Amino acid sequence: MKLKNIFLSLLFIAISLTLVAGDTINGAGATFPYPVYSAWAFNYHGETGVKLNYQSIGSGGGVRQIKNRTVDFGASDAPVKPADLKAANLLQFPAIIGGVVPVVNVEGLTGGQLKLTPDALAKIFLGEISTWNDPRLLAINKGLHLPEGNITVVHRSDGSGTTAIYTTYLSTVSRDWEKKVGKGKSVNWPAGIGGKGNEGVANYVKRVKNAIGYVEFAYAKQNNLTYVKLQNKNGQFVDPSFEAFKDAAAGAKWNPDEGYYLWLVDAPGDGSWPIAGASFILLGIEKPAANKKVVKFYDWAFNNGDATAEKLIYVPLPKSLKDSIRSYWKRNGIY
Amino acid sequence: MPPPGFSMFRGINMANQKVKDYKDKIFRATTFFAAMMVLAVIVGIFLSLAHQSLPAIQKFGFFRFISTPTWDPVHEVFGAASSLYGTIVTTVLAMAIAIPVSIGIAIFITEMCPGFLKGAMGTAIELLAAIPSIIYGMWGLFTLAPIMGDTVEPFLQHTIGKVPYLGSLFSGTPLGIDILTASTILSIMIIPFIASIARDTFNLTPQVLRESAYAIGATRWEVIRNVVMPYSKSGIFGGIVIAMGRALGETMAVAFVLGNKHQIARSLLDASSTITVTLANEFTEADSDMYMASLFYLALILFAMSFLTLAAAKFILKERAKS
């Protein structure tokens, strides 16, 4: 009797799972956009009944999974190079933008007071500028009192897209950095200590006097960390804000023919925040049926998801970029 | 002619016997299968680790890999020396803290503890072993690390740090994210293993022996030192080996407080990395093939290390049992 019940309920679960599976989009990859994708998925499910099953296993895993075609789409914080896209028969487009913000713990300073040039930032992370009252920093921050004491650099200890964006930025603005360290999801840091995850870095920066670190924009904002004003490509000192990220994204030269391969760092424009990055979606070209489902979801998100994204402190794509992506889909016959 | 009933009973008995044999066979096959599964899994893990790490083995070789301290994913230069060093130093330091404390705990519980506390203390220690390691990690990051960085480590610097030679072990800025904090957490995690096994083996010392020792005028210290300890040596040794295996492989608790820095740190107040910490931090985002292979190579080395430790311990215990 009992056994029969168990058997029946198992059968029921199996049947309902297969029924649901017909209307499920499977995706895997980057951890950074996971909160916004799942918020979109929740609303999308409510409106259309289609479920999105997204596993945040990390960008590296996302790329591997879509290459093996075990998922409908992969997600990566680092764009896949055009040559690799061709080799693996993949389509690629950006879906959401995030920024990286240097944060500090300097006595007496609040957010936006400390100004840094790209060169100074690179020198601090290289360990060449090692105190806050270094003349090179005082020259940028005239009239600001900066204490003495050694700067402690805090970086991510785990491999992450945030580090990839940040080190790509440093490599772009500093030849020294490019030569000595380079860019990647984890690099051989010349100075400082490592914290695990955004929370690890934020925790050290808060605790260690005279520390500087870098975290995702959302994390800096939610935790009211002391961010710095950075000088952008046009020579302006800007605060990290939604507008500054949107300006960066709108000013960048996105190229659909290269699968939108672009690092959103050191973007031109007076108001652009210089350290940002898009999170990308990857599709297998030879699976149009699955791709159409994925594209439908992201089209819906582009139309209805901006408010949700901003509430979670993600930066939605600018309209011009969304339009470009829609015609990219159309050209590939999946929209 | 035998009575008709006889052969009938015999038939039933034989049938029963057959069913019994059959059951026995199935039972034996099942247990055999279960036992072989373990072997198959171990061999399978070893083979797949070796297979996945092949590119790194071919590129770096064995001695070069374990002697290179650089770990640079950007330029694809990988060496295990820094992770190996961190693994060994944190384990040794954790054992150095945990062994005396655990044996002290065990002696107190078995020899001196008032009866009403015995049960409670024993349970408390076993509960310590039941706490998931991620909780130790979080606690370490948010509670222990600040205490170590703000109070304990500056104190050590001002006392032991002034001693020549020994003092260099405590140089640097105390941040609380370092080898010392990681070893402290590790030692707390392994104390229950050593303590509860030591307590059980102490309890195994025959009461007669103890009482005879007391009867000839031995002090409590002498009884513990000369009767209880020798009697439980191999048991304690077993506990230590189990604890060491745990310390070698512990991941989450140390990942939060060790800083994952690939360097051979001279000071105990420096950040470092262990093999497991490197794997946990970097596996998900390892994007190049050589990077991936090098991580697998690290895992293979840890696998071999744990295996050799256990094998050596088994061997020593066996030798001791013989003599």
Side-chain angles (χ1 to χ4, degrees), chain A residues 58-59 157 159 186 192 204 207, chain B residues 175 177 256 260-261 281 285 291:
Chain A
S59 300
S157 65
S186 44
Y204 293 162
R207 259 193 38 228
Chain B
L175 296 172
I177 309 302
F256 282 91
N260 194 30
K261 192 150 179 64
N281 272 313
E285 296 292 345
Y291 196 179

Side-chain angles (χ1 to χ4, degrees), chain A residues 157-287:
Chain A
S157 65
D158 47 340
S160 84
T162 311
T163 301
I165 293 169
Y166 192 67
T167 52
T168 303
Y169 170 70
L170 291 179
S171 294
T172 310
V173 296
S174 158
R175 182 139 330 142
D176 255 12
W177 182 274
E178 194 186 12
K179 244 190 345 218
K180 285 181 192 157
V181 186
K183 56 192 169 189
K185 286 173 188 160
S186 44
V187 300
N188 193 12
W189 293 94
I193 54 170
K196 191 162 162 49
N198 281 302
E199 64 281 3
V201 171
N203 187 36
Y204 293 162
V205 170
K206 271 193 218 161
R207 259 193 38 228
V208 180
K209 240 188 210 168
N210 294 322
I212 183 168
Y214 60 93
V215 292
E216 274 162 23
F217 174 53
Y219 206 86
K221 207 168 156 91
Q222 278 158 351
N223 294 281
N224 273 325
L225 300 176
T226 311
Y227 59 87
V228 306
K229 252 184 164 67
L230 257 186
Q231 190 182 36
N232 64 16
K233 197 171 189 177
N234 288 19
Q236 305 293 324
F237 286 94
V238 286
D239 286 324
S241 67
F242 283 114
E243 286 66 40
F245 289 112
K246 273 190 191 159
D247 282 357
K253 287 196 172 64
W254 299 96
N255 184 356
D257 297 332
E258 296 192 326
Y260 294 92
Y261 179 85
L262 180 80
W263 288 91
L264 205 49
V265 296
D266 206 25
D270 279 349
S272 300
W273 177 257
I275 322 174
S279 203
F280 293 83
I281 301 299
L282 294 155
L283 300 171
I285 288 182
E286 77 292 348
K287 286 168 56 182

Side-chain angles (χ1 to χ4, degrees), chain A:
Chain A
M1 196 52 205
K2 221 175 182 180
L3 210 66
K4 204 173 153 192
N5 278 342
I6 293 172
F7 182 71
L8 276 179
S9 43
L10 275 180
L11 196 71
F12 178 73
I13 291 170
I15 290 174
S16 46
L17 276 180
T18 40
L19 283 179
V20 167
D23 276 300
T24 301
I25 307 170
N26 287 307
T31 45
F32 158 68
Y34 172 66
V36 65
Y37 290 175
S38 42
W40 283 345
F42 181 77
N43 295 340
Y44 189 62
H45 184 240
E47 277 188 27
T48 63
V50 179
K51 236 178 135 177
L52 179 88
N53 171 23
Y54 183 77
Q55 297 185 2
S56 56
I57 54 171
S59 300
V63 175
R64 262 196 302 281
Q65 296 254 10
I66 187 65
K67 276 187 181 164
N68 296 330
R69 302 293 194 268
T70 46
V71 287
D72 297 328
F73 71 91
S76 171
D77 286 339
V80 176
K81 288 191 186 111
D84 294 342
L85 288 175
K86 203 169 241 174
N89 225 4
L90 293 173
L91 297 173
Q92 175 174 258
F93 62 89
I96 193 82
I97 288 166
V100 181
V101 176
V103 290
V104 295
N105 172 1
V106 181
E107 207 156 25
L109 288 191
T110 56
Q113 281 189 319
L114 183 72
K115 288 194 248 174
L116 287 179
T117 59
D119 187 54
L121 187 66
K123 285 209 163 78
I124 291 174
F125 273 81
L126 278 169
E128 284 171 25
I129 294 180
S130 59
T131 57
W132 285 116
N133 62 356
D134 188 286
R136 284 167 285 189
L137 295 183
L138 290 172
I140 310 166
N141 295 283
K142 285 194 180 100
L144 199 62
H145 173 76
L146 291 174
E148 45 188 68
N150 287 331
I151 297 176
T152 303
V153 169
V154 185
H155 53 76
R156 288 282 289 266
S157 65
D158 47 340
S160 84
T162 311
T163 301
I165 293 169
Y166 192 67
T167 52
T168 303
Y169 170 70
L170 291 179
S171 294
T172 310
V173 296
S174 158
R175 182 139 330 142
D176 255 12
W177 182 274
E178 194 186 12
K179 244 190 345 218
K180 285 181 192 157
V181 186
K183 56 192 169 189
K185 286 173 188 160
S186 44
V187 300
N188 193 12
W189 293 94
I193 54 170
K196 191 162 162 49
N198 281 302
E199 64 281 3
V201 171
N203 187 36
Y204 293 162
V205 170
K206 271 193 218 161
R207 259 193 38 228
V208 180
K209 240 188 210 168
N210 294 322
I212 183 168
Y214 60 93
V215 292
E216 274 162 23
F217 174 53
Y219 206 86
K221 207 168 156 91
Q222 278 158 351
N223 294 281
N224 273 325
L225 300 176
T226 311
Y227 59 87
V228 306
K229 252 184 164 67
L230 257 186
Q231 190 182 36
N232 64 16
K233 197 171 189 177
N234 288 19
Q236 305 293 324
F237 286 94
V238 286
D239 286 324
S241 67
F242 283 114
E243 286 66 40
F245 289 112
K246 273 190 191 159
D247 282 357
K253 287 196 172 64
W254 299 96
N255 184 356
D257 297 332
E258 296 192 326
Y260 294 92
Y261 179 85
L262 180 80
W263 288 91
L264 205 49
V265 296
D266 206 25
D270 279 349
S272 300
W273 177 257
I275 322 174
S279 203
F280 293 83
I281 301 299
L282 294 155
L283 300 171
I285 288 182
E286 77 292 348
K287 286 168 56 182
N291 292 347
K292 272 182 190 159
K293 279 196 294 182
V294 178
V295 161
K296 219 170 166 186
F297 169 74
Y298 280 101
D299 184 46
W300 177 91
F302 286 174
N303 286 327
N304 308 298
D306 286 5
T308 315
E310 288 198 5
K311 212 191 285 167
L312 295 169
I313 322 185
Y314 287 85
V315 185
L317 304 185
K319 193 176 170 304
S320 56
L321 182 55
K322 284 180 185 169
D323 290 342
S324 156
I325 293 171
R326 287 197 180 98
S327 58
Y328 173 71
W329 290 337
K330 213 170 263 169
R331 244 181 307 135
N332 285 289
I334 49 175
Y335 179 62

Side-chain angles (χ1 to χ4, degrees), chain B residues 70-136:
Chain B
T70 316
W71 185 266
D72 187 344
V74 179
H75 302 103
E76 298 207 340
V77 181
F78 297 105
S82 50
S83 298
L84 264 175
Y85 173 83
T87 306
I88 292 168
V89 170
T90 49
T91 303
V92 168
L93 202 57
M95 301 306 287
I97 302 172
I99 292 174
V101 174
S102 317
I103 291 179
I105 292 172
I107 290 176
F108 180 75
I109 291 180
T110 51
E111 307 291 327
M112 303 166 202
C113 187
F116 71 96
L117 256 178
K118 245 181 200 177
M121 295 264 290
T123 316
I125 286 165
E126 273 153 24
L127 273 179
L128 215 53
I131 298 175
S133 61
I134 181 79
I135 293 178
Y136 278 106

